[in-house]
Amino acid sequence: MSQDASNRIDELEIHIAHLESSIHDMSDMIKSQWDRIDLLERRNKLMAEDIKRLVDFLRTSPEDDAPPPHY
């Protein structure tokens, strides 16, 4: 094998190693982003439930909150 072909193979191997490193970094970043999205979706669901309970509470009439007659 000629020196030129050997150098080209070495350059390709280096390039592939950089690409593999980039792919690994992007994979880690995507995993982190999905974890963050899952967390935010759970928080959003909890807040939506809290808001619904608050709206339901605010919609109750004052008569519903009146003390019983024996007070």
Side-chain angles (χ1 to χ4, degrees), residues 33-71:
Q33 288 173 343
W34 275 113
D35 291 344
R36 181 77 176 151
I37 288 169
D38 288 341
L39 174 67
L40 293 172
E41 285 177 340
R42 284 193 305 270
R43 286 183 179 175
N44 188 37
K45 182 180 177 186
L46 291 173
M47 283 191 289
E49 291 170 357
D50 288 345
I51 290 170
K52 183 183 181 321
R53 281 193 297 273
L54 180 61
V55 167
D56 290 344
F57 173 77
L58 293 174
R59 286 186 179 157
T60 59
S61 65
E63 303 84 44
D64 294 341
D65 292 335
H70 64 278
Y71 274 100

Side-chain angles (χ1 to χ4, degrees), residues 9-45:
I9 290 172
D10 290 342
E11 289 175 16
L12 289 171
E13 288 176 341
I14 291 169
H15 187 68
I16 289 170
H18 286 295
L19 290 174
E20 286 176 340
S21 176
S22 295
I23 289 170
H24 180 72
D25 292 345
M26 285 187 282
S27 178
D28 290 345
M29 187 184 318
I30 290 169
K31 168 79 169 82
S32 174
Q33 288 173 343
W34 275 113
D35 291 344
R36 181 77 176 151
I37 288 169
D38 288 341
L39 174 67
L40 293 172
E41 285 177 340
R42 284 193 305 270
R43 286 183 179 175
N44 188 37
K45 182 180 177 186

